[in-house]
Amino acid sequence: MVTARYDVTIRHQRHSPVSYGLATAGETWLVDLDDLPQLPRGFGRLAGFRSADHLGDPSRSLRENLDAWLAEAGVERPARVTMLAQPRVLGYVFDPLTIFALYDGDGVRTGVVAEVRNTYGGRHCYLLHPDARGQAEVDKAFYVSPFNPVDGHYTIRVPEPGDALTVVVTLHRPDEAPFTATMTGTRAANASLWRSLLRPWRTRGVTAAIHWHGIRLYLQGLRPHPRGEHA
């Protein structure tokens, strides 16, 4: 597999209790967990993919941590795993959604692990089995936006990336779908980590946008739901 970088637009659309949308530019990478891109020796701390930014033990590799999580879930070790995520750039990364795709020895995608993070430092993984359209359903089990309680279920659409990339997450409750998040983009010609260093504000911009729009939603009358056990 060839490492790929995507220039993306991330959109959030709330439909209730208020109608509100946001859009921000960013980038995400498609990488092989057994062959992660790296900068030359001596420059690795400037940009790269770190196990400490994802599930498991920071002292182990990303692949080792994912394999351990899958084993606990009763899933055989996949022959290959790709990851759709942002790199850490100049010491910072915030990746709200990381997608791990699992492949068997024939190159067939057998499942997906969706790792969700919130701005409180929490992290949760969902094991998905997408259908032929790349879509799966799973009950919501993690506190993400403070303006949404932990209820309902998600439909998550994750077609395999090519020249174009599309990820769609929709929250459903009885008789309504109050929230949809999308990440869409195109494959960039340059897939060097040096490129990410030229635009370090992109990953910080995601965090800034979350907080800025959170303030605007608060001013529109929304109030946070308590985290409770999900803290």
Side-chain angles (χ1 to χ4, degrees):
M1 190 202 80
V2 178
T3 297
R5 181 178 65 85
Y6 292 86
D7 292 317
V8 298
T9 299
I10 300 164
R11 292 183 173 88
H12 290 181
Q13 182 62 55
R14 294 178 179 272
H15 302 285
S16 68
V18 298
S19 179
Y20 185 89
L22 67 89
T24 185
E27 72 173 36
T28 193
W29 288 67
L30 181 67
V31 298
D32 191 320
L33 286 196
D34 293 318
D35 188 21
L36 293 172
Q38 299 180 24
L39 289 175
R41 184 182 297 273
F43 295 93
R45 290 185 177 273
L46 296 179
F49 298 91
R50 308 281 185 267
S51 58
D53 297 325
H54 298 279
L55 73 166
D57 185 344
S59 67
R60 299 188 301 188
S61 71
L62 275 162
R63 179 63 193 262
E64 289 171 334
N65 283 332
L66 184 66
D67 287 345
W69 189 89
L70 290 171
E72 290 181 2
V75 178
E76 288 187 19
R77 184 180 189 273
R80 186 166 64 93
V81 180
T82 64
M83 178 176 73
L84 194 65
Q86 295 183 54
R88 174 174 286 269
V89 177
L90 299 180
Y92 183 83
V93 66
F94 177 70
D95 215 347
L97 177 65
T98 300
I99 299 293
F100 298 95
L102 319 178
Y103 293 89
D104 64 18
D106 296 323
V108 176
R109 190 171 73 171
T110 58
V112 164
V113 175
E115 181 185 31
V116 182
R117 294 184 63 182
N118 63 27
T119 56
Y120 302 97
R123 178 183 297 134
H124 183 81
C125 290
Y126 296 96
L127 180 60
L128 310 175
H129 297 286
D131 58 21
R133 300 171 297 165
Q135 184 165 298
E137 292 191 3
V138 65
D139 289 338
K140 182 177 179 179
F142 179 61
Y143 186 91
V144 186
S145 167
F147 302 117
N148 280 319
V150 182
D151 65 353
H153 73 276
Y154 294 117
T155 57
I156 303 178
R157 187 158 64 88
V158 282
E160 295 194 57
D163 289 336
L165 171 69
T166 301
V167 178
V168 182
V169 179
T170 303
L171 174 64
H172 297 270
R173 296 195 186 107
D175 302 320
E176 68 170 351
F179 177 80
T180 300
T182 65
M183 180 170 64
T184 57
T186 55
R187 186 169 179 157
N190 187 315
S192 167
L193 284 171
W194 293 113
R195 186 72 176 179
S196 292
L197 284 170
L198 297 177
R199 293 181 287 187
W201 60 84
R202 276 196 160 182
T203 186
R204 294 179 182 271
V206 173
T207 306
I210 290 171
H211 287 103
W212 168 241
H213 290 286
I215 292 171
R216 296 184 67 180
L217 286 166
Y218 187 89
L219 293 175
Q220 289 193 29
L222 294 188
R223 294 295 181 264
H225 292 269
R227 282 183 284 167
E229 65 185 79
H230 298 278

